[in-house]
Amino acid sequence: MLCQHCKSKEANTHVKSVINGEYQEFMLCSECAKEMGYSNIFSDMHSDFNSILGSFFSNALPERSQTTRCKVCGSTYHDIAKSGQVGCANCYDLFIGELMPTIRRIHGNTTHCGKSPDKVDTKTTSLKQDNKSHIDELKAQLKVAIEEQNFEKAAELRDEIKEMEESK
């Protein structure tokens, strides 16, 4: 849809307003929206947020921070400190010494101590593992019983295995 104001650019801003009980709706391009005073309240937030994060990094940057570059994304520690964003996962490994004091200052700790999955019932888990190994043992005995043509024993083992597998 084209902008309803300039009628030349693609509309990417949807404006709804109610003034004195009169409802109006506009589809505008970003330039016309800005010109008419409908700027996005979050438009400048990105750069402000990055500068806030960047302020957490120490002002005195280490010497190697300006020369050492990540082989994956090309970031230096200076770039990370300036933007407040780590370039890639490899940067954490490369700049661990410089990042840890900042991470500690922001989070108060350097080890994760947040939520974890619901506690695993170790009794149930170990019982299931024991049950599985017992079934495997019975299957081996069944194979031997069949090879020895002891079909009565094989039938008993088969029934026991079936019963255990159904009770899982």
Side-chain angles (χ1 to χ4, degrees), residues 107 109-118:
H107 295 286
N109 202 344
T110 56
T111 55
H112 179 70
C113 57
K115 289 185 176 181
S116 61
D118 291 338

Side-chain angles (χ1 to χ4, degrees), residues 53-64:
L53 277 178
S55 70
F56 279 104
F57 293 90
S58 61
N59 292 334
L61 298 174
E63 287 294 320
R64 82 176 194 108

Side-chain angles (χ1 to χ4, degrees), residues 108-167:
N109 202 344
T110 56
T111 55
H112 179 70
C113 57
K115 289 185 176 181
S116 61
D118 291 338
K119 291 183 180 175
V120 177
D121 186 357
T122 53
K123 274 187 178 178
T124 306
T125 305
S126 65
L127 285 175
K128 285 180 182 177
Q129 289 172 344
D130 291 345
N131 195 16
K132 185 181 180 328
S133 62
H134 186 63
I135 290 172
D136 291 341
E137 188 180 308
L138 290 175
K139 285 182 179 179
Q141 289 176 17
L142 174 64
K143 188 175 181 179
V144 170
I146 292 171
E147 287 171 358
E148 294 174 351
Q149 295 185 356
N150 187 350
F151 299 116
E152 192 175 305
K153 178 75 172 167
E156 290 174 12
L157 290 168
R158 178 201 62 207
D159 293 343
E160 190 176 348
I161 292 168
K162 189 175 180 181
E163 187 179 305
M164 289 184 77
E165 286 180 335
E166 287 174 355
S167 69

Side-chain angles (χ1 to χ4, degrees), residues 73-86:
C73 68
S75 294
T76 64
Y77 179 75
H78 180 72
D79 297 335
I80 295 169
K82 185 177 176 185
S83 70
Q85 296 176 332
V86 178

Side-chain angles (χ1 to χ4, degrees), residues 63-78:
E63 287 294 320
R64 82 176 194 108
S65 70
Q66 304 209 4
T67 56
T68 304
R69 289 199 172 274
C70 174
K71 291 177 183 174
V72 177
C73 68
S75 294
T76 64
Y77 179 75
H78 180 72

Side-chain angles (χ1 to χ4, degrees), residues 21-83:
E22 187 180 326
Y23 177 79
Q24 292 181 332
E25 215 173 322
F26 302 104
M27 292 299 292
L28 305 170
C29 66
S30 55
E31 288 82 12
C32 290
K34 197 172 198 177
E35 181 183 304
M36 295 173 73
Y38 297 113
S39 63
N40 184 348
I41 61 168
F42 299 111
S43 62
D44 296 327
M45 188 71 95
H46 181 70
S47 60
D48 290 345
F49 185 68
N50 287 342
S51 64
I52 290 169
L53 277 178
S55 70
F56 279 104
F57 293 90
S58 61
N59 292 334
L61 298 174
E63 287 294 320
R64 82 176 194 108
S65 70
Q66 304 209 4
T67 56
T68 304
R69 289 199 172 274
C70 174
K71 291 177 183 174
V72 177
C73 68
S75 294
T76 64
Y77 179 75
H78 180 72
D79 297 335
I80 295 169
K82 185 177 176 185
S83 70

